[in-house]
Amino acid sequence: LAAAVLFSIWLQRRITQPIFAVTEVARQVMARRDFSLRAKKTTDDEIGVLVEAFNEMLGEVGRRAQALEEFNRALEHETHVRRAAEEALRETDRRKDEFLATLAHELRNPLAPLRNALELLRRAGGDPAVAATARDMMSRQLRQMIRLVDDLLDVSRITTGKLAVHKESVELQAIIRSAVETSRPLIDERGQVLTVRLPEEPVHLEADSTRLAQVFSNLLNNASKFTLASGHIEIAAECHDGELQVAVTDTGIGLSPEMLPAIFEMFTQADSSLERTHAGLGVGLTLARRLIELHGGALEAYSAGLGHGSRFTVRLPLPGPARAAASMAPALTASSKRCRVLLVDDNVDFATSLAELLKTLDHEVRVAHDAEQALGVVTQFKPDFAFLDIGLPRMNGYDLARRLRAQPGTADAVLVAITGWGQERDRMRSREAGFQHHLVKPVELSQIESIFAAAA
């Protein structure tokens, strides 16, 4: 009996207790899902080998469980990212549809008064007051259409990454004056008060003056559109620690907190309802921010909430003292010299109207509607300036420019491309063909006058 008791104790220590330990560890692993638990090895015999195998199995299962959990987490993250991307695509698609609908609406708006103004001119019967009213109306609506088309072109440049700026030494005060002159008609029409505060000393920048004036006029127009009649708008500039800050502040409808982060996104409208009283495609602020970033600056928006107005702040780096002290180029004055001008364009109405405008500047003008006709004209006319369309029939404007450069009578003429093609590659092709200037339709008469003045 004593031998049996001793044998039983030996069996419990060598076999039963290790198996019970393995069973207990297995129970805890199942209950707690903790694969770091291990059974204690007490012998080196077959039971010890069993415990080691059990522990190794727990380690392998733990590693696989951890890998599976990591994979599940990655899958959940990827699913979340995909859902967010799908939601962003749906939002972009919705904005695209709204943009196309808004574009159709905004393009029809100027066309209706243009047609009415033409009918007024037909029925005016020589009444100068009616004719003046119709002309003013057509001028306003034409500017609106030009602005819409320019916005569309800039949208294309933003989405394709081809938006660029051409920096030179410019004066801030002149840029602000240009922007104010552009926005003044809208502000005066709505009976709003505009305050301009600029530094007394000239502030010089390394910037694209045309693009910066576009940014500030966009901000002023935006402030005017969202400010009630008799409201107040202010544009103020000041310099701090090598940085220029220009703030456009209004007393308008303001921005809600949820709108502030999205206000600079493409096609975003603060008010997209049918009852909105302001026009636009929702690209002005996106374009303004992108242009400022291309200048190395930033554009920020702030509003205390709906009904509390808004403030848009442009921050631009100031050039070093050496560049800031450099004198500005003297302004060009219009030339009084009578010049011979060749105008080549297959659009008869455009060519005829521009020729009449050039004649009002006391220039001698010849018109041709294709390259062959133009080459026949220059043999006797020998123009000082040649304004050439690019998309001419049979022979394009680039080839015509090369032909004119090769002829003795027009080798030294000032060649100006005047076209609807305005991308950077189009301007590069113009330079390669021998053009000194590249104008994009519609063209302001002041642009043509500056070319005459530069040549003088």
Side-chain angles (χ1 to χ4, degrees), residues 120 142 204 345 412:
L120 280 175
L142 182 60
H204 293 166
D345 199 303
D412 298 327

Side-chain angles (χ1 to χ4, degrees), residues 23-77:
T23 304
E24 181 61 25
V25 169
R27 185 181 296 111
Q28 292 182 18
V29 168
M30 293 177 61
R32 295 158 50 186
R33 304 294 297 174
D34 183 2
F35 295 97
S36 64
L37 298 176
R38 294 292 183 270
K40 185 177 179 181
K41 179 182 176 181
T42 57
T43 63
D44 294 326
D45 54 8
E46 290 80 358
I47 300 299
V49 173
L50 175 64
V51 172
E52 285 184 348
F54 176 75
N55 289 336
E56 290 179 0
M57 181 188 67
L58 281 181
E60 180 65 23
V61 172
R63 287 189 292 272
R64 293 190 179 186
Q66 183 178 2
L68 183 60
E69 289 177 359
E70 292 177 355
F71 176 77
N72 287 335
R73 284 195 297 268
L75 185 60
E76 288 177 359
H77 176 70

Side-chain angles (χ1 to χ4, degrees), residues 99-365:
F99 166 73
L100 292 176
T102 303
L103 174 62
H105 176 267
E106 297 300 334
L107 287 176
R108 289 191 186 102
N109 275 345
L111 290 176
L114 281 172
R115 171 176 284 182
N116 293 340
L118 287 172
E119 190 64 28
L120 280 175
L121 288 175
R122 289 194 190 98
R123 298 173 180 267
D127 188 339
V130 174
T133 301
R135 285 195 298 269
D136 291 342
M137 184 189 308
M138 293 174 70
S139 178
R140 287 194 302 271
Q141 299 305 320
L142 182 60
R143 284 197 300 270
Q144 173 70 2
M145 287 198 69
I146 291 173
R147 186 181 65 80
L148 290 173
V149 173
D150 287 342
D151 283 348
L152 285 175
L153 292 174
D154 286 330
V155 167
S156 173
R157 295 185 184 109
I158 290 174
T159 54
T160 57
K162 295 179 180 179
L163 190 66
V165 295
H166 305 282
K167 296 181 181 180
E168 58 183 356
S169 183
V170 295
E171 187 181 286
L172 171 69
Q173 285 82 348
I175 294 173
I176 298 295
R177 283 195 299 269
S178 176
V180 170
E181 288 173 4
T182 302
S183 304
R184 177 69 73 177
L186 175 62
I187 294 172
D188 291 344
E189 180 184 350
R190 297 174 65 87
Q192 295 159 343
V193 178
L194 175 62
T195 302
V196 181
R197 292 194 298 107
L198 301 176
E200 295 182 0
E201 296 296 325
V203 178
H204 293 166
L205 300 169
E206 287 294 320
D208 187 324
S209 58
T210 302
R211 287 302 196 176
L212 276 192
Q214 181 183 4
V215 168
F216 294 128
S217 64
N218 275 354
L219 295 178
L220 288 172
N221 289 341
N222 197 64
S224 179
K225 279 192 267 184
F226 292 95
T227 301
L228 298 177
S230 72
H232 185 260
I233 301 171
E234 180 186 73
I235 180 168
E238 52 186 12
C239 300
H240 291 294
D241 300 327
E243 181 183 70
L244 170 68
Q245 297 180 11
V246 182
V248 177
T249 309
D250 63 68
T251 58
I253 63 173
L255 295 167
S256 61
E258 59 270 15
M259 181 58 66
L260 274 175
I263 195 65
F264 292 107
E265 294 180 8
M266 189 77 77
F267 310 140
T268 298
Q269 300 264 11
D271 180 9
S272 58
S273 65
L274 294 176
E275 297 82 6
R276 64 195 180 109
T277 58
H278 45 274
L281 300 178
V283 300
L285 290 177
T286 306
L287 173 62
R289 168 173 272 190
R290 182 62 184 139
L291 288 173
I292 293 300
E293 289 174 348
L294 288 174
H295 283 85
L299 175 58
E300 303 166 352
Y302 170 78
S303 177
L306 292 175
H308 295 281
S310 57
R311 181 176 69 250
F312 290 86
T313 304
V314 173
R315 302 179 186 276
L316 290 170
L318 291 172
R323 291 190 176 183
S327 60
M328 301 294 291
L332 294 171
T333 57
S335 170
S336 60
K337 177 185 175 183
R338 178 181 174 86
C339 300
R340 294 185 302 275
V341 181
L342 172 64
L343 179 58
V344 186
D345 199 303
D346 59 333
N347 187 323
V348 177
D349 288 340
F350 173 77
T352 303
S353 59
L354 182 56
E356 293 301 320
L357 285 174
L358 292 174
K359 289 177 182 178
T360 63
L361 300 177
D362 199 29
H363 296 303
E364 186 180 355
V365 184

Side-chain angles (χ1 to χ4, degrees), residues 386-400:
F387 292 85
L388 311 180
D389 184 23
I390 298 300
L392 293 172
R394 293 181 292 278
M395 182 190 296
N396 62 49
Y398 300 127
D399 294 335
L400 176 58

